[in-house]
Coordinates of all heavy atoms in Angstrom, one line a residue:
M1 N -21.9 3.2 -3.7 CA -21.1 2.0 -3.3 C -20.0 1.8 -4.4 O -18.8 1.6 -4.1 CB -22.0 0.7 -3.4 CG -21.4 -0.5 -2.8 SD -20.9 -0.3 -1.0 CE -20.2 -2.0 -0.8
K2 N -20.3 1.9 -5.6 CA -19.3 1.8 -6.7 C -18.2 2.9 -6.6 O -17.1 2.6 -6.7 CB -20.1 1.9 -8.0 CG -19.5 0.8 -9.1 CD -20.3 1.0 -10.4 CE -20.3 -0.2 -11.3 NZ -21.0 -0.1 -12.5
K3 N -18.8 4.0 -6.3 CA -17.8 5.1 -6.1 C -16.8 4.9 -5.1 O -15.5 5.1 -5.1 CB -18.7 6.4 -5.7 CG -18.4 7.5 -6.8 CD -19.2 8.7 -6.3 CE -19.3 9.7 -7.5 NZ -20.3 10.8 -7.1
I4 N -17.3 4.3 -4.0 CA -16.4 4.0 -2.8 C -15.4 3.1 -3.0 O -14.1 3.2 -2.9 CB -17.2 3.6 -1.5 CG1 -18.0 4.8 -1.0 CG2 -16.3 3.1 -0.4 CD1 -19.0 4.5 0.1
L5 N -15.8 2.0 -3.8 CA -15.0 0.9 -4.2 C -13.8 1.5 -5.1 O -12.6 1.2 -4.9 CB -15.7 -0.2 -5.0 CG -15.0 -1.5 -5.2 CD1 -14.6 -2.0 -3.8 CD2 -15.8 -2.5 -6.0
L6 N -14.2 2.3 -6.1 CA -13.2 2.9 -7.0 C -12.3 3.7 -6.3 O -11.1 3.7 -6.4 CB -13.9 3.7 -8.0 CG -14.6 2.9 -9.2 CD1 -15.4 3.9 -10.2 CD2 -13.6 2.2 -9.9
L7 N -12.8 4.5 -5.2 CA -11.8 5.3 -4.5 C -10.9 4.6 -3.6 O -9.7 4.9 -3.6 CB -12.8 6.1 -3.5 CG -12.2 7.3 -2.8 CD1 -11.7 8.3 -3.6 CD2 -13.0 7.9 -1.6
M8 N -11.3 3.5 -3.1 CA -10.5 2.6 -2.4 C -9.4 2.0 -3.2 O -8.2 1.8 -3.0 CB -11.3 1.5 -1.6 CG -11.9 2.0 -0.5 SD -13.1 0.7 0.3 CE -11.9 -0.4 0.9
L9 N -9.7 1.5 -4.4 CA -8.8 1.0 -5.3 C -7.8 2.1 -5.7 O -6.5 1.7 -5.8 CB -9.6 0.6 -6.7 CG -10.2 -0.9 -6.6 CD1 -10.9 -1.1 -7.9 CD2 -9.1 -2.0 -6.4
G10 N -8.2 3.2 -5.9 CA -7.3 4.3 -6.3 C -6.3 4.5 -5.1 O -5.1 4.7 -5.5
L11 N -6.7 4.4 -3.9 CA -5.9 4.7 -2.7 C -4.8 3.5 -2.8 O -3.6 3.8 -2.4 CB -6.6 4.7 -1.4 CG -7.4 5.9 -1.1 CD1 -8.3 5.8 0.1 CD2 -6.5 7.2 -1.0
V12 N -5.2 2.3 -2.8 CA -4.3 1.2 -2.9 C -3.3 1.3 -4.0 O -2.1 1.2 -3.8 CB -5.1 -0.2 -3.1 CG1 -4.1 -1.3 -3.4 CG2 -6.0 -0.4 -1.8
F13 N -3.8 1.8 -5.2 CA -2.8 1.9 -6.3 C -1.8 3.0 -5.9 O -0.5 2.8 -6.1 CB -3.6 2.4 -7.6 CG -3.5 1.3 -8.6 CD1 -4.6 0.4 -8.8 CD2 -2.3 1.3 -9.4 CE1 -4.5 -0.5 -9.8 CE2 -2.4 0.3 -10.3 CZ -3.4 -0.6 -10.5
N14 N -2.1 4.3 -5.4 CA -1.3 5.2 -5.1 C -0.3 4.8 -4.0 O 0.8 5.1 -4.2 CB -2.0 6.5 -4.6 CG -2.6 7.2 -5.8 OD1 -2.1 7.1 -6.9 ND2 -3.7 8.1 -5.6
G15 N -0.8 4.1 -3.1 CA 0.0 3.7 -2.0 C 1.2 2.8 -2.3 O 2.1 2.8 -1.7
T16 N 0.9 2.0 -3.4 CA 1.9 1.0 -3.7 C 2.7 1.4 -5.1 O 3.5 0.7 -5.5 CB 1.3 -0.4 -4.0 OG1 0.3 -0.2 -5.0 CG2 0.8 -1.0 -2.7
A17 N 2.5 2.7 -5.6 CA 3.0 3.0 -6.8 C 4.5 3.3 -6.6 O 5.0 4.5 -6.5 CB 2.3 4.4 -7.3
A18 N 5.3 2.2 -6.6 CA 6.7 2.3 -6.6 C 7.4 3.2 -5.7 O 8.3 3.9 -6.0 CB 7.2 2.7 -8.1
A19 N 6.8 3.3 -4.5 CA 7.5 3.9 -3.3 C 8.7 3.2 -2.9 O 8.5 2.0 -2.4 CB 6.5 4.2 -2.2
D20 N 9.8 3.8 -3.1 CA 11.0 3.0 -2.7 C 11.5 3.4 -1.3 O 11.2 4.4 -0.9 CB 12.1 3.4 -3.7 CG 12.3 2.3 -4.9 OD1 11.9 1.2 -4.5 OD2 12.6 2.8 -6.0
E21 N 12.4 2.5 -0.8 CA 13.0 2.7 0.4 C 14.4 2.9 0.2 O 15.1 2.1 -0.5 CB 12.8 1.6 1.4 CG 11.3 1.6 2.0 CD 11.2 1.3 3.5 OE1 12.3 1.2 4.1 OE2 10.1 1.1 3.9
H22 N 15.2 3.9 0.8 CA 16.6 4.0 0.6 C 17.2 4.1 2.0 O 16.5 4.5 3.1 CB 16.9 5.3 -0.1 CG 16.2 5.5 -1.3 ND1 16.7 5.3 -2.5 CD2 14.9 6.0 -1.5 CE1 15.8 5.5 -3.5 NE2 14.6 6.0 -2.9
T23 N 18.5 3.8 2.1 CA 19.2 3.8 3.4 C 20.4 4.6 3.2 O 21.2 4.6 2.2 CB 19.6 2.4 3.9 OG1 18.4 1.7 4.1 CG2 20.4 2.6 5.3
V24 N 20.6 5.7 4.2 CA 21.7 6.5 4.2 C 22.3 6.2 5.6 O 21.6 6.5 6.6 CB 21.4 8.0 4.1 CG1 22.6 8.7 4.4 CG2 20.8 8.3 2.7
G25 N 23.6 5.9 5.6 CA 24.3 5.5 6.9 C 24.9 6.9 7.4 O 25.1 7.8 6.7
Q26 N 25.4 6.8 8.6 CA 26.2 7.8 9.3 C 27.3 7.2 9.8 O 27.2 6.4 10.8 CB 25.3 8.6 10.4 CG 24.3 9.5 9.8 CD 23.4 9.9 11.0 OE1 22.7 9.0 11.6 NE2 23.3 11.1 11.4
K27 N 28.6 7.3 9.2 CA 29.8 6.6 9.5 C 31.0 7.6 9.5 O 31.2 8.3 8.6 CB 29.9 5.5 8.4 CG 31.0 4.6 8.6 CD 30.6 3.3 9.4 CE 31.9 2.4 9.6 NZ 32.0 2.0 10.9
D28 N 31.9 7.4 10.5 CA 33.0 8.2 10.7 C 32.6 9.8 10.5 O 33.3 10.5 9.9 CB 33.9 7.9 9.7 CG 34.5 6.4 9.7 OD1 34.6 5.9 10.9 OD2 34.7 5.8 8.7
K29 N 31.5 10.2 11.2 CA 31.1 11.6 11.2 C 30.7 12.0 9.8 O 31.0 13.4 9.6 CB 32.1 12.4 11.9 CG 32.1 12.2 13.4 CD 32.9 13.3 14.2 CE 33.1 13.1 15.6 NZ 34.0 14.0 16.2
K30 N 30.3 11.1 8.9 CA 29.8 11.6 7.5 C 28.7 10.8 7.2 O 28.5 9.6 7.7 CB 31.0 11.3 6.6 CG 32.1 12.3 6.6 CD 33.1 11.8 5.5 CE 34.4 12.7 5.5 NZ 35.6 12.0 5.2
F31 N 27.8 11.5 6.4 CA 26.7 10.7 5.7 C 27.4 9.8 4.6 O 28.3 10.4 4.0 CB 25.7 11.7 5.1 CG 24.8 12.3 6.2 CD1 25.1 13.6 6.6 CD2 23.8 11.7 6.8 CE1 24.3 14.4 7.5 CE2 23.0 12.3 7.8 CZ 23.3 13.7 8.1
T32 N 26.8 8.7 4.5 CA 27.5 7.7 3.6 C 27.3 8.1 2.0 O 28.0 7.6 1.2 CB 27.1 6.1 3.7 OG1 25.6 6.3 3.6 CG2 27.6 5.8 5.0
Q33 N 26.3 9.0 1.9 CA 26.2 9.6 0.5 C 26.1 11.1 0.6 O 25.4 11.6 1.6 CB 24.9 9.1 -0.2 CG 25.0 7.8 -0.8 CD 23.7 6.9 -0.5 OE1 23.5 6.4 0.6 NE2 22.9 6.8 -1.4
S34 N 26.7 11.8 -0.2 CA 26.7 13.3 0.0 C 25.4 13.8 -0.8 O 25.0 14.9 -0.5 CB 28.0 13.9 -0.6 OG 28.2 13.5 -1.9
E35 N 25.0 13.0 -1.8 CA 23.8 13.4 -2.5 C 23.0 12.1 -3.0 O 23.7 11.1 -3.3 CB 24.2 14.1 -3.7 CG 23.2 15.0 -4.4 CD 23.7 16.1 -5.3 OE1 24.9 16.4 -5.3 OE2 22.8 16.4 -6.2
L36 N 21.7 12.3 -2.9 CA 20.9 11.2 -3.3 C 19.6 11.7 -3.9 O 19.1 12.8 -3.5 CB 20.4 10.4 -2.0 CG 19.4 9.3 -2.0 CD1 20.1 8.1 -2.7 CD2 18.9 9.0 -0.7
T37 N 19.3 11.1 -5.1 CA 18.1 11.4 -5.8 C 17.0 10.4 -5.7 O 17.3 9.3 -5.9 CB 18.4 11.7 -7.3 OG1 19.5 12.7 -7.5 CG2 17.2 12.1 -8.1
I38 N 15.9 10.9 -5.2 CA 14.7 9.8 -4.9 C 13.5 10.5 -5.6 O 13.4 11.6 -6.2 CB 14.6 9.6 -3.4 CG1 14.1 11.0 -2.8 CG2 15.9 9.2 -2.8 CD1 13.5 10.9 -1.4
A39 N 12.5 9.6 -5.6 CA 11.1 10.0 -6.1 C 10.3 10.5 -5.0 O 10.4 10.1 -4.0 CB 10.6 8.8 -6.9
V40 N 9.2 11.4 -5.4 CA 8.3 11.7 -4.5 C 7.6 10.5 -3.9 O 7.2 9.7 -4.6 CB 7.2 12.7 -5.1 CG1 6.0 13.0 -4.2 CG2 7.8 14.0 -5.5
G41 N 7.3 10.5 -2.6 CA 6.8 9.3 -1.8 C 7.8 8.4 -1.3 O 7.3 7.6 -0.6
D42 N 9.0 8.4 -1.7 CA 10.0 7.5 -1.3 C 10.4 7.8 0.2 O 10.2 8.8 0.7 CB 11.2 7.6 -2.1 CG 11.2 7.0 -3.4 OD1 10.1 6.4 -3.7 OD2 12.2 7.0 -4.2
T43 N 10.9 6.7 0.8 CA 11.3 6.8 2.3 C 12.8 6.7 2.4 O 13.4 5.8 1.7 CB 10.6 5.8 3.1 OG1 9.1 6.1 3.0 CG2 11.0 5.7 4.6
V44 N 13.4 7.6 3.2 CA 14.8 7.2 3.5 C 15.0 6.9 5.0 O 14.5 7.5 5.8 CB 15.7 8.5 3.2 CG1 17.1 8.4 3.6 CG2 15.5 9.0 1.7
N45 N 15.8 5.8 5.2 CA 16.1 5.4 6.6 C 17.5 5.9 6.8 O 18.5 5.6 6.1 CB 16.2 3.8 6.6 CG 14.7 3.3 6.4 OD1 13.9 3.5 7.3 ND2 14.5 2.5 5.4
F46 N 17.6 6.7 7.9 CA 18.9 7.2 8.3 C 19.5 6.4 9.5 O 18.8 6.3 10.5 CB 18.8 8.6 8.7 CG 18.3 9.6 7.7 CD1 16.9 10.0 7.5 CD2 19.3 10.2 6.8 CE1 16.6 10.9 6.4 CE2 18.9 11.0 5.7 CZ 17.5 11.3 5.6
R47 N 20.5 5.8 9.2 CA 21.0 4.6 10.2 C 22.3 5.1 10.7 O 23.3 5.4 10.0 CB 21.2 3.4 9.4 CG 21.5 2.2 10.3 CD 21.8 1.0 9.6 NE 23.1 1.2 8.7 CZ 23.1 0.7 7.4 NH1 22.2 -0.1 6.9 NH2 24.2 0.9 6.7
N48 N 22.4 5.1 11.9 CA 23.6 5.5 12.6 C 24.6 4.3 12.7 O 24.2 3.3 13.4 CB 23.3 6.0 14.1 CG 24.6 6.5 14.8 OD1 25.7 6.3 14.3 ND2 24.4 7.2 15.9
D49 N 25.7 4.3 12.1 CA 26.7 3.2 12.1 C 27.9 3.6 12.8 O 29.1 2.9 12.8 CB 27.2 2.9 10.6 CG 26.0 2.4 9.8 OD1 25.3 1.7 10.3 OD2 25.9 2.6 8.6
D50 N 27.9 4.7 13.7 CA 29.1 5.2 14.4 C 28.8 4.7 15.9 O 27.6 4.5 16.4 CB 29.2 6.6 14.4 CG 30.1 7.1 13.4 OD1 31.0 6.3 13.0 OD2 29.9 8.3 12.8
P51 N 29.8 4.6 16.7 CA 29.8 4.2 18.1 C 29.2 5.3 19.0 O 29.5 5.2 20.2 CB 31.0 3.6 18.5 CG 32.1 4.3 17.6 CD 31.2 4.6 16.3
F52 N 28.7 6.4 18.5 CA 28.2 7.5 19.3 C 27.0 8.2 18.7 O 26.7 7.7 17.5 CB 29.3 8.5 19.4 CG 30.1 8.9 18.1 CD1 29.7 9.6 17.2 CD2 31.3 8.2 17.9 CE1 30.3 10.0 16.1 CE2 32.0 8.4 16.7 CZ 31.5 9.3 15.8
S53 N 26.4 8.9 19.3 CA 25.0 9.4 18.8 C 25.2 10.4 17.7 O 26.1 11.3 17.6 CB 24.1 10.1 20.0 OG 23.8 9.1 20.8
H54 N 24.2 10.4 16.8 CA 24.1 11.4 15.7 C 22.6 11.9 15.8 O 21.7 11.3 16.3 CB 24.3 10.8 14.3 CG 25.7 10.6 14.1 ND1 26.5 11.6 13.9 CD2 26.4 9.5 13.7 CE1 27.9 11.1 13.5 NE2 27.8 9.8 13.4
N55 N 22.4 13.0 15.0 CA 21.2 13.7 14.9 C 20.9 13.7 13.4 O 21.8 13.6 12.6 CB 21.1 15.0 15.4 CG 19.9 15.9 15.0 OD1 20.2 16.6 14.0 ND2 18.8 15.8 15.7
V56 N 19.6 13.8 12.9 CA 19.3 14.2 11.6 C 18.2 15.2 11.5 O 17.3 15.0 12.2 CB 18.9 12.8 10.7 CG1 18.7 13.2 9.3 CG2 19.9 11.7 10.9
Y57 N 18.4 16.2 10.8 CA 17.5 17.2 10.7 C 17.6 18.0 9.4 O 18.5 17.9 8.6 CB 17.6 18.3 11.9 CG 18.6 19.3 11.6 CD1 18.4 20.6 11.1 CD2 19.9 19.0 11.8 CE1 19.3 21.5 10.9 CE2 21.0 19.9 11.6 CZ 20.7 21.1 11.1 OH 21.6 22.1 10.8
S58 N 16.5 18.7 9.1 CA 16.5 19.7 7.8 C 15.6 20.8 8.2 O 14.6 20.6 8.8 CB 16.0 18.9 6.8 OG 15.9 19.7 5.6
L59 N 16.0 22.0 7.7 CA 15.3 23.2 7.9 C 14.7 23.6 6.4 O 14.1 24.6 6.3 CB 16.0 24.3 8.5 CG 16.6 24.1 9.8 CD1 17.6 25.2 10.2 CD2 15.5 23.9 10.8
S60 N 14.9 22.6 5.4 CA 14.4 23.0 4.1 C 13.0 23.1 3.9 O 12.2 22.4 4.5 CB 15.0 21.9 3.1 OG 16.4 21.9 3.1
E61 N 12.5 24.0 3.1 CA 11.2 24.2 2.8 C 10.5 23.0 2.3 O 9.3 22.7 2.6 CB 11.1 25.4 1.9 CG 9.7 26.3 2.1 CD 9.7 27.4 1.1 OE1 10.6 28.3 1.3 OE2 9.0 27.4 0.2
T62 N 11.1 22.3 1.5 CA 10.5 21.0 0.8 C 10.2 20.1 1.9 O 9.1 19.3 1.8 CB 11.6 20.4 -0.1 OG1 12.0 21.4 -1.1 CG2 11.1 19.2 -0.7
K63 N 11.1 19.9 3.0 CA 10.8 18.9 4.0 C 11.6 19.3 5.3 O 12.8 19.2 5.3 CB 11.1 17.5 3.6 CG 10.8 16.4 4.5 CD 9.4 16.1 4.4 CE 9.0 15.0 5.5 NZ 7.4 14.8 5.4
S64 N 10.9 19.8 6.2 CA 11.6 20.2 7.4 C 11.3 19.1 8.5 O 10.1 18.7 8.7 CB 11.4 21.6 7.8 OG 10.6 21.7 9.0
F65 N 12.3 18.6 9.2 CA 12.0 17.6 10.2 C 13.3 17.5 11.2 O 14.3 18.2 10.9 CB 11.9 16.2 9.6 CG 13.0 15.7 8.7 CD1 14.0 15.0 9.4 CD2 13.2 16.1 7.5 CE1 15.2 14.6 8.6 CE2 14.3 15.6 6.6 CZ 15.3 14.9 7.4
D66 N 13.1 16.9 12.3 CA 14.2 16.7 13.3 C 13.9 15.3 13.9 O 13.0 15.1 14.6 CB 14.2 17.7 14.4 CG 15.2 17.7 15.3 OD1 16.0 16.7 15.2 OD2 15.5 18.6 16.1
L67 N 14.8 14.4 13.6 CA 14.7 13.0 14.1 C 15.3 12.8 15.5 O 15.3 11.7 16.0 CB 15.4 12.1 13.1 CG 14.8 12.0 11.7 CD1 15.5 11.0 10.8 CD2 13.3 11.8 11.7
G68 N 15.8 13.9 16.1 CA 16.4 13.8 17.4 C 17.8 13.1 17.4 O 18.2 12.9 16.2
S69 N 18.3 12.7 18.4 CA 19.6 12.1 18.4 C 19.5 10.6 18.8 O 18.6 10.4 19.6 CB 20.7 12.8 19.3 OG 20.2 12.8 20.6
Y70 N 20.2 9.8 18.2 CA 20.1 8.4 18.5 C 21.3 7.6 18.3 O 22.2 8.0 17.5 CB 18.8 7.7 17.6 CG 18.8 8.0 16.2 CD1 19.3 7.1 15.3 CD2 18.3 9.2 15.7 CE1 19.3 7.3 13.9 CE2 18.3 9.5 14.3 CZ 18.7 8.5 13.4 OH 18.6 8.7 12.1
P71 N 21.5 6.4 19.0 CA 22.7 5.7 19.0 C 23.0 4.8 17.9 O 22.1 4.6 17.0 CB 22.6 5.0 20.4 CG 21.2 4.6 20.5 CD 20.5 5.7 19.9
R72 N 24.2 4.2 18.0 CA 24.6 3.2 17.0 C 23.6 2.0 16.7 O 22.9 1.6 17.7 CB 25.9 2.5 17.5 CG 26.5 1.6 16.4 CD 27.2 0.4 17.0 NE 28.2 0.5 17.9 CZ 29.5 0.4 17.7 NH1 29.9 -0.1 16.3 NH2 30.5 0.4 18.5
G73 N 23.4 1.7 15.5 CA 22.6 0.6 15.1 C 21.0 1.1 14.8 O 20.3 0.3 14.4
E74 N 20.7 2.3 15.4 CA 19.4 2.7 15.3 C 19.2 3.4 14.0 O 20.0 4.1 13.5 CB 19.0 3.6 16.5 CG 17.5 3.6 16.7 CD 17.1 4.4 18.0 OE1 17.6 3.9 19.0 OE2 16.5 5.4 17.9
A75 N 18.0 3.2 13.3 CA 17.6 4.0 12.1 C 16.2 4.6 12.3 O 15.4 4.1 13.0 CB 17.5 3.0 11.0
R76 N 16.1 5.9 11.7 CA 14.8 6.5 11.7 C 14.5 6.9 10.3 O 15.4 7.3 9.5 CB 14.9 7.7 12.7 CG 15.1 7.2 14.2 CD 14.9 8.4 15.2 NE 15.1 7.7 16.5 CZ 15.3 8.4 17.6 NH1 15.1 9.7 17.6 NH2 15.4 7.8 18.8
A77 N 13.2 6.9 10.0 CA 12.8 7.0 8.6 C 12.1 8.4 8.4 O 11.4 8.9 9.3 CB 11.9 5.9 8.3
V78 N 12.2 8.9 7.1 CA 11.5 10.1 6.7 C 11.0 9.9 5.4 O 11.6 9.3 4.5 CB 12.4 11.3 6.7 CG1 11.6 12.5 6.2 CG2 13.1 11.6 8.0
T79 N 9.7 10.2 5.1 CA 9.0 10.0 3.8 C 9.0 11.4 3.2 O 8.6 12.4 3.8 CB 7.6 9.4 3.9 OG1 7.8 8.1 4.5 CG2 7.0 9.3 2.6
F80 N 9.6 11.5 2.0 CA 9.6 12.8 1.3 C 8.4 12.9 0.4 O 8.3 12.2 -0.7 CB 10.9 12.9 0.6 CG 12.1 13.0 1.6 CD1 12.6 11.8 2.1 CD2 12.5 14.2 2.0 CE1 13.6 11.9 2.9 CE2 13.6 14.2 2.9 CZ 14.1 13.0 3.3
D81 N 7.5 13.8 0.7 CA 6.2 13.9 0.0 C 6.0 15.0 -1.1 O 5.0 15.2 -1.6 CB 5.1 13.9 1.0 CG 5.3 14.7 2.3 OD1 6.3 15.6 2.2 OD2 4.8 14.4 3.4
K82 N 7.1 15.8 -1.1 CA 7.0 17.0 -2.0 C 8.3 17.0 -2.8 O 9.3 16.8 -2.4 CB 7.0 18.3 -1.2 CG 5.5 18.8 -0.9 CD 5.4 20.2 -0.5 CE 6.5 20.8 0.2 NZ 6.0 22.0 0.9
P83 N 8.3 17.4 -4.1 CA 9.5 17.6 -4.9 C 10.3 18.8 -4.5 O 9.7 19.8 -4.1 CB 9.0 17.6 -6.4 CG 7.6 18.3 -6.2 CD 7.0 17.8 -4.8
G84 N 11.6 18.8 -4.6 CA 12.5 19.8 -4.3 C 13.8 19.3 -3.7 O 14.0 18.1 -3.7
V85 N 14.6 20.2 -3.3 CA 15.9 19.9 -2.7 C 15.8 19.9 -1.3 O 15.1 20.9 -0.6 CB 16.9 20.9 -3.2 CG1 18.3 20.6 -2.5 CG2 17.1 20.9 -4.6
V86 N 16.3 19.0 -0.5 CA 16.4 19.0 0.9 C 17.8 18.9 1.5 O 18.5 17.9 1.2 CB 15.6 17.7 1.5 CG1 15.4 17.9 3.0 CG2 14.1 17.7 0.9
E87 N 18.2 19.9 2.1 CA 19.5 20.0 2.8 C 19.5 19.4 4.2 O 18.6 19.8 5.0 CB 20.0 21.4 3.0 CG 20.2 22.1 1.6 CD 21.4 21.9 0.8 OE1 22.3 21.3 1.4 OE2 21.5 22.5 -0.3
I88 N 20.4 18.3 4.5 CA 20.3 17.6 5.7 C 21.5 17.7 6.5 O 22.6 17.8 5.9 CB 19.9 16.2 5.2 CG1 18.5 16.0 4.9 CG2 20.1 15.2 6.5 CD1 18.1 14.8 4.1
G89 N 21.4 17.9 7.8 CA 22.5 18.0 8.7 C 22.3 17.1 9.9 O 21.4 16.5 10.2
C90 N 23.4 17.2 10.7 CA 23.4 16.7 12.0 C 23.7 17.8 13.1 O 24.7 18.4 13.0 CB 24.5 15.5 12.1 SG 24.9 15.1 13.8
A91 N 22.8 17.9 14.0 CA 22.9 19.1 14.9 C 24.1 18.9 15.8 O 24.4 19.8 16.7 CB 21.6 19.2 15.6
I92 N 24.6 17.6 16.0 CA 25.8 17.4 17.0 C 27.1 17.7 16.2 O 28.0 18.1 16.8 CB 25.7 15.9 17.4 CG1 24.3 15.6 18.1 CG2 26.9 15.7 18.4 CD1 24.0 14.2 18.5
H93 N 27.2 17.3 14.9 CA 28.4 17.5 14.2 C 28.1 18.4 13.1 O 27.5 18.0 12.0 CB 29.0 16.2 13.8 CG 29.1 15.2 14.7 ND1 28.2 14.1 14.9 CD2 30.0 14.9 15.8 CE1 28.5 13.4 16.0 NE2 29.7 14.0 16.6
F94 N 28.4 19.6 13.2 CA 28.0 20.7 12.2 C 28.5 20.6 10.8 O 28.0 21.1 10.0 CB 28.3 22.2 12.8 CG 27.6 22.4 14.0 CD1 28.1 22.6 15.4 CD2 26.1 22.6 14.0 CE1 27.4 22.9 16.4 CE2 25.4 22.7 15.2 CZ 26.0 23.0 16.3
D95 N 29.7 19.8 10.7 CA 30.2 19.7 9.3 C 29.7 18.5 8.6 O 30.0 18.2 7.5 CB 31.7 19.6 9.3 CG 32.3 18.7 10.4 OD1 31.4 18.1 11.1 OD2 33.5 18.5 10.3
M96 N 28.6 17.8 9.2 CA 28.0 16.7 8.5 C 26.8 17.3 7.8 O 26.0 17.9 8.2 CB 27.5 15.6 9.5 CG 28.5 14.7 10.2 SD 27.7 13.6 11.3 CE 26.8 12.5 10.3
S97 N 26.8 17.0 6.4 CA 25.7 17.4 5.6 C 25.6 16.6 4.4 O 26.5 15.9 3.9 CB 25.9 18.9 5.2 OG 27.0 19.0 4.3
M98 N 24.3 16.5 3.7 CA 24.1 16.0 2.7 C 22.8 16.6 2.0 O 22.2 17.4 2.6 CB 23.8 14.4 2.8 CG 22.5 14.1 3.3 SD 22.1 12.4 3.2 CE 21.8 12.1 1.5
K99 N 22.6 16.2 0.7 CA 21.6 16.8 0.0 C 20.6 15.7 -0.6 O 21.1 14.7 -1.1 CB 22.1 17.7 -1.1 CG 21.1 18.5 -1.8 CD 21.9 19.6 -2.5 CE 22.3 19.2 -4.0 NZ 22.8 20.3 -4.8
I100 N 19.3 15.8 -0.5 CA 18.4 14.8 -1.2 C 17.7 15.6 -2.2 O 17.0 16.6 -1.9 CB 17.6 14.2 -0.2 CG1 18.4 13.2 0.7 CG2 16.4 13.3 -0.8 CD1 17.7 12.5 1.8
N101 N 17.6 15.1 -3.4 CA 16.8 15.7 -4.5 C 15.5 14.9 -4.6 O 15.7 13.6 -5.0 CB 17.6 15.7 -5.8 CG 19.0 16.4 -5.8 OD1 18.9 17.6 -5.4 ND2 20.0 15.7 -5.9
V102 N 14.5 15.4 -4.4 CA 13.2 14.7 -4.5 C 12.6 15.1 -5.8 O 12.2 16.3 -6.1 CB 12.2 15.0 -3.3 CG1 11.0 14.1 -3.4 CG2 13.0 15.0 -2.0
Q103 N 12.4 14.1 -6.7 CA 11.8 14.4 -8.1 C 10.4 13.8 -8.3 O 10.2 12.8 -7.8 CB 12.8 13.9 -9.2 CG 14.1 14.6 -9.1 CD 15.1 14.1 -10.1 OE1 14.9 12.9 -10.5 NE2 16.0 14.8 -10.5
Ligands
CU1 CU1 26.5 13.5 13.9

């Protein structure tokens, strides 16, 4: 019983340990930041601020994902759970790119 309680406390602690949220916009066919440094466990919200659809994806080993394409005003979130560099792009506009350093 004691063990379980300690385990639960540990989980609560880890879950709230300064996990930050960041927002990166997509505006005028560019990511609003070309580079962003975050901590392991942080979440980045990718928000489309253009009047047309964007995509967000990464093929990086540190974090590979594809958020699909979505319209203006919509945001989709990714939590980065491993340290490393993540190269991010938009599959609709090939010259859109940014880099996230997860530390
Ligand atoms: Cu785009």
Side-chain angles (χ1 to χ4, degrees):
M1 191 62 182
K2 224 178 199 173
K3 238 182 193 171
I4 292 172
L5 191 64
L6 282 174
L7 189 68
M8 284 173 71
L9 277 174
L11 286 176
V12 168
F13 246 100
N14 281 336
T16 55
D20 263 329
E21 288 219 8
H22 311 262
T23 297
V24 172
Q26 292 165 292
K27 180 98 182 126
D28 301 327
K29 289 193 188 174
K30 282 179 186 152
F31 288 101
T32 52
Q33 280 140 286
S34 58
E35 200 166 337
L36 177 68
T37 298
I38 66 170
V40 172
D42 283 4
T43 296
V44 177
N45 293 297
F46 294 96
R47 188 186 62 218
N48 183 350
D49 295 325
D50 268 330
F52 42 82
S53 286
H54 284 296
N55 162 269
V56 184
Y57 79 98
S58 175
L59 300 174
S60 296
E61 212 177 287
T62 301
K63 185 78 184 178
S64 106
F65 61 89
D66 185 348
L67 300 183
S69 64
Y70 50 98
R72 189 219 294 257
E74 202 172 302
R76 293 186 184 174
V78 180
T79 299
F80 293 85
D81 39 25
K82 272 198 323 199
V85 176
V86 185
E87 302 278 354
I88 288 168
C90 166
I92 301 168
H93 309 103
F94 293 115
D95 50 351
M96 285 180 69
S97 67
M98 73 165 298
K99 191 163 88 175
I100 294 184
N101 304 302
V102 190
Q103 293 180 338

